[in-house]
mmCIF file of all heavy atoms in Angstrom:
data_model
loop_
_atom_site.group_PDB
_atom_site.id
_atom_site.type_symbol
_atom_site.label_atom_id
_atom_site.label_comp_id
_atom_site.label_asym_id
_atom_site.label_seq_id
_atom_site.Cartn_x
_atom_site.Cartn_y
_atom_site.Cartn_z
ATOM 1 N N ASN H 139 33.955 -40.967 -11.140
ATOM 2 C CA ASN H 139 34.845 -42.121 -11.011
ATOM 3 C C ASN H 139 36.123 -41.959 -11.835
ATOM 4 O O ASN H 139 36.962 -42.871 -11.874
ATOM 5 C CB ASN H 139 34.133 -43.410 -11.407
ATOM 6 C CG ASN H 139 33.666 -43.398 -12.846
ATOM 7 O OD1 ASN H 139 32.992 -42.461 -13.266
ATOM 8 N ND2 ASN H 139 34.005 -44.419 -13.604
ATOM 9 N N SER H 305 32.710 -23.697 10.266
ATOM 10 C CA SER H 305 32.623 -22.256 10.465
ATOM 11 C C SER H 305 31.239 -21.709 10.110
ATOM 12 O O SER H 305 31.070 -20.519 9.879
ATOM 13 C CB SER H 305 33.701 -21.493 9.684
ATOM 14 O OG SER H 305 33.712 -20.118 9.990
ATOM 15 N N THR H 306 30.243 -22.578 10.075
ATOM 16 C CA THR H 306 28.861 -22.118 9.929
ATOM 17 C C THR H 306 28.189 -22.143 11.296
ATOM 18 O O THR H 306 28.554 -22.936 12.169
ATOM 19 C CB THR H 306 28.064 -23.002 8.948
ATOM 20 O OG1 THR H 306 27.993 -24.341 9.454
ATOM 21 C CG2 THR H 306 28.708 -23.005 7.566
ATOM 22 N N GLY H 345 37.614 -35.049 4.193
ATOM 23 C CA GLY H 345 37.972 -36.168 5.062
ATOM 24 C C GLY H 345 39.352 -36.728 4.787
ATOM 25 O O GLY H 345 40.044 -37.172 5.709
#
Side-chain angles (χ1 to χ4, degrees):
N139 61 308
S305 187
T306 62

